[in-house]
Amino acid sequence: TNPKDYTPIIKQLDEVIILSPKTELASKSQYLLMKVYNQIGEYAKRDQAYLQYINNYTKYYKPDEVAKIGIQLGDGYFKAERYKEALAIYNLILTKFPNTKPVNEAKVKIARCLEKSGKTKEALALYSQLKEKGEDLEGEILESIGDIYAKEGNLNKALERYEKAGLSYRKEG
């Protein structure tokens, strides 16, 4: 897709945001602006639009929904192996939306970023902390701990965690 094709749409959305600031219409325009920038691969602008969205317009939408958008943005960076950027987005979710359901998912994803960045001790500590607190996603956490142990060559501990993860997945159904 050619980014130039989206120039009129971007200008119209920007105009709505400028002419009707702090309104629900501006909120919807800001959200669409994020989607357009994502579509054309302008990720820095998409992230800037997301920051403006969460700082100015979240009162019009449920915080859980806005946090889920953040998870999706972070996931894009994670898949591109841009762990520093993914960490920044996931940490933003913790800061801006501490009482939402996606927070636990963001914490697990932070641990994954640490793991992929070679900070396995920090990742293991965070996974263990999440497990001790009885956070959601128990199977996923146990599986990730098993992955770290396997990479470190501690196959007995890895197998133990994988077995517990399997039991947890069965409970979750």
Side-chain angles (χ1 to χ4, degrees):
T1 306
N2 183 351
K4 292 179 183 175
D5 297 340
Y6 288 92
T7 303
I9 295 168
I10 292 170
K11 284 183 179 180
Q12 288 176 349
L13 292 170
D14 279 337
E15 190 174 304
V16 169
I17 294 165
I18 290 168
L19 294 176
S20 306
K22 308 287 184 185
T23 64
E24 188 171 3
L25 181 59
S27 174
K28 289 179 181 179
S29 297
Q30 190 70 45
Y31 177 78
L32 292 173
L33 194 58
M34 277 188 310
K35 289 184 79 163
V36 169
Y37 284 135
N38 190 61
Q39 180 70 28
I40 62 175
E42 294 279 347
Y43 302 120
K45 289 181 180 180
R46 175 204 60 197
D47 293 353
Q48 183 180 16
Y50 178 71
L51 291 174
Q52 290 174 353
Y53 184 73
I54 65 172
N55 287 322
N56 297 317
Y57 302 109
T58 55
K59 70 180 181 180
Y60 297 107
Y61 292 96
K62 296 176 184 173
D64 280 15
E65 292 173 6
V66 180
K68 284 179 188 175
I69 294 168
I71 293 282
Q72 292 170 355
L73 295 179
D75 289 352
Y77 283 121
F78 186 88
K79 287 176 187 168
E81 298 181 3
R82 294 174 60 186
Y83 304 120
K84 185 178 179 181
E85 290 95 337
L87 272 170
I89 297 289
Y90 297 141
N91 279 314
L92 181 65
I93 293 166
L94 297 182
T95 304
K96 288 285 192 177
F97 308 105
N99 301 317
T100 62
K101 291 179 185 176
V103 163
N104 290 339
E105 186 178 353
K107 289 177 183 177
V108 170
K109 290 175 184 278
I110 287 169
R112 281 202 185 118
C113 286
L114 292 170
E115 179 184 345
K116 293 289 188 178
S117 300
K119 299 177 181 178
T120 55
K121 287 182 182 180
E122 292 95 331
L124 192 55
L126 183 53
Y127 284 133
S128 297
Q129 180 185 35
L130 291 168
K131 175 76 179 83
E132 287 173 19
K133 288 183 174 181
E135 300 288 358
D136 294 345
L137 307 168
E138 180 182 8
E140 203 171 326
I141 293 166
L142 288 165
E143 184 179 344
S144 296
I145 292 171
D147 291 345
I148 291 173
Y149 284 137
K151 286 177 190 170
E152 292 177 348
N154 193 336
L155 299 180
N156 288 333
K157 281 189 172 183
L159 184 58
E160 181 183 312
R161 294 312 184 282
Y162 291 145
E163 286 174 4
K164 288 181 179 179
L167 291 172
S168 179
Y169 286 139
R170 277 188 229 129
K171 283 184 205 173
E172 293 171 10

